[in-house]
């Protein structure tokens, strides 16, 4: 029996320790020699379709050695994030530039392939000599911040570390594979009532949303705050809506279709703006109309705008935030060059708060909420590892809601649940609310 098969079969820790680590393993990856395959066109600029099913490959890659502070995780499931799309599009710069730079410190990562993926659930099968808190057989989820724990700033806030990297995006051997290499400081105990694929889909997006809204370094939402959430049924926004509701805030969700609006209402978000009514949000007239719709719904302007779409929406976000309000941003999926009228920022004393990922403690807090059933997974679809390209393509084309999962060593969906009683108390209808939903 192979190690991979033993993990899939649920073998005990002694059996996992006895079996050999394979010399190669199956993974989804991009190739360095294909970096120029889409030409120089930027996505959406000249109409060239960067179909990432052509740049995502699935096959055998060599197993790296473990560092002393690292853990080898047998991956049961993973999930697509937008950085998966960026990796496969080779934008905004090819991730091989990150790997080459990292390779000067750690040559294992500078290879002619990139095993990507920044989310995973699985089983610990090996530990480096310096790992103290984890054992073979532990069921875990992986948080995405790959940090240098010897950097002093890491012990204040690891997101400020000079060597902060997004695991599986700026490092090799990420989660879209049968095995993944992670630091011990990335691991958290898998929520016992969730399946492998449900557990795998949360950490990057949920922790990012937590830091943006709840963490002391973000917008610091309080009870009664009106929070405008762009892309409210997407990977980030759906966690944002849940966190706003949990914290006593008033979410106003922005979506692009009536189907998504209906899903949002089933989540308990009373106030919904269908963005399709506002064709372009690129001037003050459009911003004013959009802001009037928000005020019609809740009677006031947002205290906080939850931003991650970027170029297409940022001007509107700055405009609609109330006097003294905040725009908290963690990304720019529609483009990085933001244009806004600065008068509405400085004259009305608004703030723009940059937020990136989440530190280990923030990830721990989010995982606790998931483990208690106070935050629900947003998994809508699941693909096998062999179809990783199709899974990423669905996210690239925005043909999804919530998160898209990928099964690695898990032989089927709906496996891995340990606490059936808690799952029953929460209810399948809540846990599986997003399942089967499409854009």
């Amino acid at each position: 029996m192979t190690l991979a098969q033993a993990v899939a079969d649920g073998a005990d820790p002694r059996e996992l320790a006895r079996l050999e680590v394979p010399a190669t393993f199956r993974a989804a990856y991009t190739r360095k020699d294909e970096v120029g395959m889409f030409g120089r066109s930027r996505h959406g600029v000249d109409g060239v379709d960067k179909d990432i099913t052509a740049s995502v490959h699935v096959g055998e890659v060599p197993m790296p050695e473990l560092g002393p502070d690292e853990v080898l995780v047998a991956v049961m499931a993973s999930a697509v994030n937008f950085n998966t799309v960026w990796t496969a599009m080779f934008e905004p710069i090819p991730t091989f530039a990150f790997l080459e730079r990292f390779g000067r410190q750690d040559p294992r990562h500078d290879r002619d392939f990139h095993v990507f993926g920044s989310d995973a659930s699985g089983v610990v099968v090996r530990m480096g000599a310096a790992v103290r808190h984890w054992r073979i057989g532990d069921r875990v989820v992986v948080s995405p911040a790959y940090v240098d724990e010897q950097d002093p700033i890491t012990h204040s806030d690891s997101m400020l570390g000079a060597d902060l990297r997004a695991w599986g995006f700026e490092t090799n051997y990420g989660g879209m594979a049968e095995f993944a290499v992670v630091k011990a400081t990335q691991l958290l105990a898998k929520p016992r009532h969730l399946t492998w694929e449900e557990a795998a889909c949360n950490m990057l997006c949920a922790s990012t949303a937590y830091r943006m809204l709840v963490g002391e370094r973000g917008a610091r939402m309080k009870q009664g705050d009106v929070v405008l959430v762009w892309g409210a049924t997407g990977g980030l926004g759906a966690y944002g809506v849940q966190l706003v509701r949990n914290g006593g805030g008033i979410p106003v969700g922005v979506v692009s279709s009536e189907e998504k609006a209906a899903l949002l209402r089933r989540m308990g978000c009373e106030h919904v703006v269908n963005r399709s009514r506002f064709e372009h949000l690129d001037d003050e007239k459009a911003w004013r109309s959009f802001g009037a719709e928000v005020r019609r719904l809740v009677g006031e302007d947002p205290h906080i705008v939850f931003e991650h779409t970027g170029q297409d929406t940022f001007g509107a976000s700055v405009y609609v935030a109330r006097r003294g309000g905040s725009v908290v941003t963690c990304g720019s999926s529609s483009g990085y060059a933001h244009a806004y009228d600065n008068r509405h920022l400085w004259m009305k004393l608004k703030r723009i708060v940059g937020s990136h990922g989440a530190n280990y403690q923030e990830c721990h807090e989010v995982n606790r909420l998931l483990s208690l059933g106070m935050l629900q997974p947003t998994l809508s679809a699941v693909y096998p590892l062999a179809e990783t390209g199709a899974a990423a393509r669905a996210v690239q084309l925005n043909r999804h809601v919530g998160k898209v999962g990928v099964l690695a060593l898990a032989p089927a969906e709906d496996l891995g649940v340990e606490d059936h009683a808690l799952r029953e108390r929460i209810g399948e209808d809540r846990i599986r609310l997003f399942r089967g939903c499409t854009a």
Side-chain angles (χ1 to χ4, degrees), residues 26-139:
R26 220 161 144 257
Y29 59 89
T30 54
R31 287 169 36 179
K32 193 172 188 177
D33 63 1
E34 292 183 343
V35 164
M37 68 183 296
F38 296 119
R40 294 190 175 186
S41 64
R42 293 303 302 264
H43 180 62
V45 172
D46 59 5
V48 173
D49 179 13
K50 295 190 172 186
D51 183 350
I52 58 178
T53 59
S55 58
V56 173
H57 305 274
V58 177
E60 294 289 316
V61 298
M63 178 72 73
E65 293 185 5
L66 279 185
D69 60 347
E70 291 178 338
V71 174
L72 184 66
V73 173
V75 179
M76 300 301 278
S78 184
V80 179
N81 291 291
F82 210 82
N83 70 13
T84 308
V85 176
W86 289 332
T87 299
M89 290 171 65
F90 307 111
E91 288 187 7
I93 61 173
T95 54
F96 290 98
F98 303 138
L99 301 185
E100 289 170 8
R101 192 176 308 122
F102 193 19
R104 295 171 199 144
Q105 300 176 40
D106 189 339
R108 295 175 303 161
H109 292 265
D110 185 8
R111 307 298 298 265
D112 58 2
F113 60 85
H114 182 190
V115 179
F116 52 82
S118 297
D119 267 318
S121 65
V123 178
V124 172
V125 291
R126 292 294 184 274
M127 299 89 61
V131 176
R132 299 186 303 278
H133 298 295
W134 301 98
R135 296 290 181 267
I136 290 175
D138 286 348
R139 294 181 165 204

Side-chain angles (χ1 to χ4, degrees), residues 230-259:
W230 291 102
T233 57
L236 275 166
Y239 293 107
V241 168
Q242 292 184 68
L243 289 166
V244 173
R245 292 189 70 239
N246 286 355
I250 303 167
V252 179
V254 185
V255 291
S256 58
S257 71
E258 283 305 314
E259 292 78 12

Side-chain angles (χ1 to χ4, degrees), residues 102-383:
F102 193 19
R104 295 171 199 144
Q105 300 176 40
D106 189 339
R108 295 175 303 161
H109 292 265
D110 185 8
R111 307 298 298 265
D112 58 2
F113 60 85
H114 182 190
V115 179
F116 52 82
S118 297
D119 267 318
S121 65
V123 178
V124 172
V125 291
R126 292 294 184 274
M127 299 89 61
V131 176
R132 299 186 303 278
H133 298 295
W134 301 98
R135 296 290 181 267
I136 290 175
D138 286 348
R139 294 181 165 204
V140 296
V141 293
V142 183
S143 61
Y146 191 96
V147 305
D148 178 3
E149 62 273 16
Q150 295 184 36
D151 182 349
I153 196 66
T154 296
H155 298 274
S156 174
D157 179 17
S158 58
M159 295 297 98
L160 297 175
D163 270 350
L164 167 67
R165 291 180 172 86
W167 170 70
F169 180 61
E170 295 168 299
T171 76
N172 217 328
Y173 308 108
M176 274 319 169
E178 293 178 336
F179 293 90
V181 175
V182 307
K183 289 207 171 196
T185 51
Q186 292 178 254
L187 295 182
L188 297 157
K190 173 189 169 291
R192 291 170 51 84
H193 68 289
L194 296 181
T195 66
W196 290 115
E197 62 274 15
E198 290 164 352
C201 77
N202 304 299
M203 286 313 302
L204 186 146
C205 285
S207 62
T208 297
Y210 182 94
R211 183 180 174 99
M212 291 172 72
L213 291 170
V214 183
E216 62 186 38
R217 298 168 180 86
R220 305 185 73 172
M221 183 195 73
K222 62 184 186 301
Q223 292 184 49
D225 277 356
V226 175
V227 183
L228 182 72
V229 181
W230 291 102
T233 57
L236 275 166
Y239 293 107
V241 168
Q242 292 184 68
L243 289 166
V244 173
R245 292 189 70 239
N246 286 355
I250 303 167
V252 179
V254 185
V255 291
S256 58
S257 71
E258 283 305 314
E259 292 78 12
K260 290 181 178 179
L263 174 60
L264 199 53
R265 292 187 179 99
R266 292 199 297 274
M267 290 175 63
C269 182
E270 178 183 355
H271 307 295
V272 182
V273 178
N274 188 336
R275 186 182 166 187
S276 64
R277 293 177 49 201
F278 304 90
E279 186 175 355
H280 298 292
L281 288 170
D282 52 5
D283 60 33
E284 187 162 329
K285 182 178 178 181
W287 302 341
R288 192 179 300 118
S289 177
F290 183 81
E293 175 65 7
V294 174
R295 285 192 297 277
R296 185 189 69 79
L297 290 170
V298 292
E300 52 185 317
D301 294 325
H303 297 79
I304 299 166
V305 180
F306 183 91
E307 247 291 350
H308 53 96
T309 47
Q311 184 173 299
D312 289 351
T313 58
F314 203 81
S317 295
V318 172
Y319 180 85
V320 301
R322 70 172 57 204
R323 185 182 295 271
S326 300
V327 177
V328 58
T329 176
C330 73
S332 296
S333 56
S334 66
Y336 304 101
H338 298 182
Y340 63 91
D341 188 331
N342 198 41
R343 293 171 297 178
H344 297 299
L345 187 73
W346 101 69
M347 295 179 70
K348 296 181 181 178
L349 290 83
K350 303 178 185 183
R351 296 187 304 143
I352 295 173
V353 181
S355 189
H356 181 56
N359 62 39
Y360 196 30
Q361 177 62 25
E362 290 163 337
C363 290
H364 167 77
E365 296 292 347
V366 166
N367 196 56
R368 177 173 177 269
L369 294 176
L370 287 159
S371 297
L372 291 171
M374 298 177 68
L375 198 62
Q376 306 304 330
T378 63
L379 185 69
S380 62
V382 181
Y383 292 72

